[in-house]
Amino acid sequence: MAADIDSKTVTCWAFYSVVALGVFLLASCQTSGPVAGSSSERERYLQALVDRNFQDPQAHYLLAEYYHTEGLWDKAIYQLDLALRFGPFFRKAQVAKVRILLEKGDKQAADAAVDAFIRHSAHNPDGLVDLARCFQQEGLDQYALYCLQQATLLWPRSPLVYKELGLYLLAKDQPAKAKESLMKSFELDPVQPDVAGALGRLGVVVEAPSLRPAGDSALPPKM
């Protein structure tokens, strides 16, 4: 009889222990705050990065990316504008702003932003080529091409600009236009093996000028 009582006691104790544990876990789930890695927790962390160094473009960019993923476009653009205030040539922020404006359906604002970025980079052809490459890498081909076309107007004597435009057009399967741009680049600077190679693949045979050693003269030495 005692054994039966002890067995029932143990069984009841085990049952109520399981129930109590279940109630505790349920209460914990209902009353606990945001778990690590939740949206609220991540926003607070990124905002803390901004507060720690308000002039850090990267911090604003990261917070903008968070708002973008949450669909908070206006907040994202506000943070990107801050990133660009402190880092005017921060390419990732420039491209991100254009992409968000397009997602909002505001192509006019996206076009205006691209024009502003081109003006900011127009002090040398390298900056315009770099901007075009960033747009191309992010799949914004229409703006990559637009940047290169504007670059040819701003820097009509730059072999780099015409080379980049020619290679872009070649990659987009536009051989006739590509050949025209590459020929222009080669005329401006015939010492470009990559341009000569690209023209060769297009069936254009070009010959780079021979390079003389430093100090060598075009005239025979006087006797």
Side-chain angles (χ1 to χ4, degrees):
M1 183 69 178
D4 291 341
I5 293 174
D6 290 342
S7 176
K8 290 179 180 179
T9 301
V10 170
T11 302
C12 291
W13 178 86
F15 172 79
Y16 286 115
S17 296
V18 171
V19 172
L21 179 60
V23 171
F24 172 77
L25 292 175
L26 180 61
S28 298
C29 291
Q30 291 175 338
T31 59
S32 61
V35 296
S38 68
S39 294
S40 299
E41 189 75 16
R42 181 164 176 76
E43 182 180 6
R44 285 196 294 270
Y45 170 75
L46 294 172
Q47 185 63 58
L49 291 181
V50 169
D51 295 339
R52 189 178 306 160
N53 184 0
F54 192 75
Q55 296 186 10
D56 180 10
Q58 180 71 13
H60 289 288
Y61 171 76
L62 292 175
L63 184 55
E65 284 291 279
Y66 164 77
Y67 286 137
H68 182 203
T69 59
E70 294 293 310
L72 302 172
W73 289 331
D74 291 337
K75 284 189 173 184
I77 290 175
Y78 175 73
Q79 291 299 325
L80 289 172
D81 285 339
L82 288 173
L84 291 169
R85 179 191 300 176
F86 301 119
F89 302 105
F90 191 178
R91 298 301 186 205
K92 285 187 175 181
Q94 290 176 335
V95 173
K97 180 175 180 178
V98 172
R99 185 181 296 283
I100 293 174
L101 289 170
L102 290 175
E103 290 179 6
K104 288 183 64 178
D106 196 347
K107 188 176 184 301
Q108 184 176 0
D111 292 347
V114 173
D115 282 331
F117 299 151
I118 289 175
R119 288 194 301 271
H120 294 160
S121 300
H123 58 283
N124 64 58
D126 302 72
L128 293 170
V129 167
D130 183 54
L131 179 60
R133 286 174 178 169
C134 290
F135 280 129
Q136 185 178 5
Q137 289 168 1
E138 294 298 321
L140 298 173
D141 288 349
Q142 72 274 28
Y143 291 122
L145 178 59
Y146 178 68
C147 283
L148 294 173
Q149 290 171 334
Q150 292 300 303
T152 62
L153 300 176
L154 294 168
W155 293 92
R157 302 293 298 171
S158 170
L160 172 64
V161 167
Y162 283 101
K163 177 179 76 170
E164 197 69 22
L165 177 58
L167 294 176
Y168 174 87
L169 293 170
L170 188 60
K172 297 301 177 183
D173 197 24
Q174 300 183 46
K177 292 181 178 180
K179 181 167 68 174
E180 182 181 347
S181 293
L182 291 170
M183 283 295 298
K184 179 68 173 178
S185 177
F186 193 79
E187 290 170 4
L188 292 169
D189 180 9
V191 187
Q192 297 187 84
D194 51 349
V195 174
L199 286 169
R201 293 192 294 274
L202 290 169
V204 180
V205 178
V206 294
E207 184 177 352
S210 59
L211 299 178
R212 297 179 179 275
D216 198 7
S217 174
L219 298 175
K222 295 181 179 180
M223 300 299 292

